[in-house]
Amino acid sequence: MTGIEVGAAGVAALIVLIGLGMPIGIGMIVVSFVGVTLIRNETVAMRMMGSVANDSLEEYLFAVVPLFVLMGLLVTISGVGKDTFDLFERMLRRVRAGLGVATVFANAVFASITGISIASASVFSRVAVPEMTRHGYSRRFSTGVVAGSSVLGMLIPPSLLMIVYAVLAEESVGRMFLAGIGPGIMLSILFSATVIIMATWWKSSVFERPSAEFDEAEDEPGRFSIVTKSLPIVGLVTLVLGGLYGGFFNPTEAGAVGALGALAIALMRKSLNPSKFWSLLVETGQVTVSVLFLILAATFFSRMLAMSGLPNMLAETLLTSSIGPYGFLLIFLFLIIIMGCLIDSISIMLILLPIALPVAKHAGFDLIWFGVITVVAVEIGLLTPPFGLSVYTIKSAIDDPDLKVGEIFRGAMPFVAAMIVGLAILVAFPQIAVWLARL
């Protein structure tokens, strides 16, 4: 077999192994080892596996993963998500479908603290959905808006997917974070517009009964405490993002300061005890090890493909054919969205990026912009059946046996459409993503 045939067979074998249920990391290592053995020999494969294990994880940068994960978990347990929703509920209650818009913007702010979409889905399914249904919103719309806006967690910095992409593309994590701000704001506006449009021209899909009136007398203490509720949110966002973009911290230091700030908030609110803290540390370790093992496996897979010559061959074939650079981009985004129906976000990136990045470089694409549209496309997979991880998170978080998964998927579809529109805008106007990152 030629190197290109080995590389193509390796990609096909990996897809088959994942379909059979093998964990993505193990499948990548097995395929990569066999591939290098066939291209060279077993000795080279053993040496490459050892060097990959050392080279891929020795970077100081990787300390950012556990720190941001721990910060997100601490923020979740401390009740900051509920305070964020209460704050926007107060500000937007007189807007048409104001609770839906409040959920979108609360998710956007919460995303800038946690960076994990699943955390947002879990928190706001418990906080926003009961409040919206109490005020006459349909259950399908309430769960759909939470599912849709939860994807902002992986786009607005700090973002775990942005870190993974930066590592694979050898780009700056800080620049990737900056590149996510403009698209994150744009998607928040598109989601809010979707909510208002539905509430104006498709009321039956939003309200199942007339909205309950807000009791102003009952809410008077909330009005007085609005500043108190906003202080932890504003303080943590300013500390992490202000320090990062102001040049005071690098990404790892920003994660450490953010984790310390989140710990202080949790302790002040008395929402943390030794057993809960230990559980959070264990969960942080599990998430971190999973992510780093996947990065190690993806690095090995990428080197095997580079050795096979498959990415370069694809670049030459696709870019010199009638398809052209944007034809390749369209195929790439379509593959991501289709794969999002079947496997999780990080796995999609780890499978496709080792093949797609060399082609993107040959096409002359800005890799920062390419990373942003990749993350947006990958996040669509959190909302599409049958996988739809955000949808299943909401289903498990809401203790209602009558709530069907299909109902949440249907509620999320308008936001999938909004994300596709956002993706088209980013392709047409790359400056939305790159202007801050290139300052």
Side-chain angles (χ1 to χ4, degrees):
M1 294 175 71
T2 64
I4 291 173
E5 289 172 342
V6 171
V11 174
L14 179 60
I15 293 171
V16 170
L17 290 174
I18 293 170
L20 293 174
M22 180 177 284
I24 176 73
I26 295 175
M28 279 185 160
I29 289 176
V30 170
V31 167
S32 302
F33 185 86
V34 173
V36 175
T37 300
L38 292 173
I39 296 170
R40 294 288 177 85
N41 55 59
E42 188 175 343
T43 303
V44 173
M46 290 294 293
R47 287 178 180 172
M48 183 177 286
M49 188 161 61
S51 67
V52 162
N54 178 66
D55 298 345
S56 62
L57 301 181
E58 67 177 354
E59 295 289 334
Y60 166 72
L61 169 67
F62 285 120
V64 76
V65 177
L67 292 170
F68 275 125
V69 170
L70 179 60
M71 180 178 71
L73 294 174
L74 285 168
V75 164
T76 302
I77 203 172
S78 66
V80 169
K82 183 180 187 307
D83 284 354
T84 307
F85 177 75
D86 291 345
L87 180 64
F88 282 99
E89 176 191 2
R90 163 63 62 184
M91 293 168 59
L92 299 167
R93 62 176 46 196
R94 298 307 171 198
V95 174
R96 185 184 297 274
L99 286 180
V101 179
T103 302
V104 171
F105 282 106
N107 251 315
V109 172
F110 193 67
S112 68
I113 307 173
T114 61
I116 304 173
S117 294
I118 303 307
S120 296
S122 178
V123 168
F124 286 98
S125 59
R126 294 185 178 97
V127 171
V129 171
E131 188 70 6
M132 282 193 280
T133 53
R134 185 169 73 88
H135 283 88
Y137 292 76
S138 71
R139 190 170 55 182
R140 185 175 76 179
F141 173 80
S142 302
T143 53
V145 73
V146 169
S149 55
S150 71
V151 302
L152 296 169
M154 285 300 189
L155 184 61
I156 297 176
S159 160
L160 196 57
L161 282 187
M162 291 288 196
I163 295 171
V164 172
Y165 177 85
V167 171
L168 294 176
E170 298 181 353
E171 289 287 342
S172 162
V173 172
R175 290 188 183 278
M176 286 303 306
F177 282 177
L178 283 169
I181 294 176
I185 294 171
M186 180 197 71
L187 268 185
S188 301
I189 294 170
L190 283 174
F191 287 162
S192 300
T194 301
V195 169
I196 294 171
I197 289 168
M198 290 175 67
T200 304
W201 285 289
W202 194 14
K203 288 183 181 179
S204 61
S205 68
V206 176
F207 302 103
E208 60 183 10
R209 56 185 170 80
S211 177
E213 294 295 325
F214 289 97
D215 187 340
E216 295 294 335
E218 179 186 316
D219 288 334
E220 198 65 35
R223 188 176 295 173
F224 177 77
S225 65
I226 201 79
V227 175
T228 307
K229 287 190 173 185
S230 65
L231 280 176
I233 306 161
V234 174
L236 201 55
V237 170
T238 303
L239 184 67
V240 177
L241 299 186
L244 181 62
Y245 303 140
F248 298 103
F249 310 134
N250 63 33
T252 304
E253 292 165 346
V257 170
L260 182 61
L263 177 61
I265 292 170
L267 290 174
M268 284 189 293
R269 295 186 167 200
K270 298 180 180 178
S271 56
L272 199 63
N273 57 40
S275 64
K276 283 184 180 179
F277 187 53
W278 175 251
S279 297
L280 291 185
L281 292 177
V282 171
E283 188 173 351
T284 299
Q286 290 171 340
V287 172
T288 302
V289 169
S290 299
V291 170
L292 294 184
F293 181 74
L294 286 171
I295 289 173
L296 183 156
T299 304
F300 195 10
F301 186 60
S302 180
R303 290 189 184 182
M304 185 274 289
L305 288 177
M307 182 181 288
S308 74
L310 179 64
N312 288 333
M313 185 274 290
L314 285 175
E316 292 174 6
T317 303
L318 291 173
L319 301 180
T320 57
S321 69
S322 59
I323 293 176
Y326 284 94
F328 151 72
L329 183 64
L330 190 62
I331 293 170
F332 173 68
L333 295 176
F334 178 75
L335 281 175
I336 288 179
I337 294 171
I338 293 299
M339 290 180 72
C341 297
L342 304 172
I343 57 178
D344 65 278
S345 304
I346 292 181
S347 297
I348 295 170
M349 293 177 68
L350 296 179
I351 292 169
L352 289 181
L353 285 176
I355 303 170
L357 281 170
V359 183
K361 288 178 185 177
H362 277 79
F365 291 147
D366 185 309
L367 291 188
I368 294 285
W369 165 77
F370 190 73
V372 171
I373 63 172
T374 298
V375 170
V376 174
V378 163
E379 286 293 271
I380 292 174
L382 289 176
L383 306 178
T384 49
F387 193 75
L389 192 55
S390 279
V391 170
Y392 286 101
T393 300
I394 292 170
K395 168 62 179 168
S396 63
I398 298 176
D399 186 17
D400 184 354
D402 295 330
L403 178 63
K404 306 298 182 186
V405 171
E407 190 176 2
I408 308 174
F409 275 123
R410 288 192 295 273
M413 284 304 106
F415 301 95
V416 171
M419 291 186 76
I420 293 173
V421 170
L423 201 55
I425 292 172
L426 285 172
V427 171
F429 303 101
Q431 298 84 358
I432 296 173
V434 301
W435 73 276
L436 264 178
R438 296 305 183 192
L439 286 178

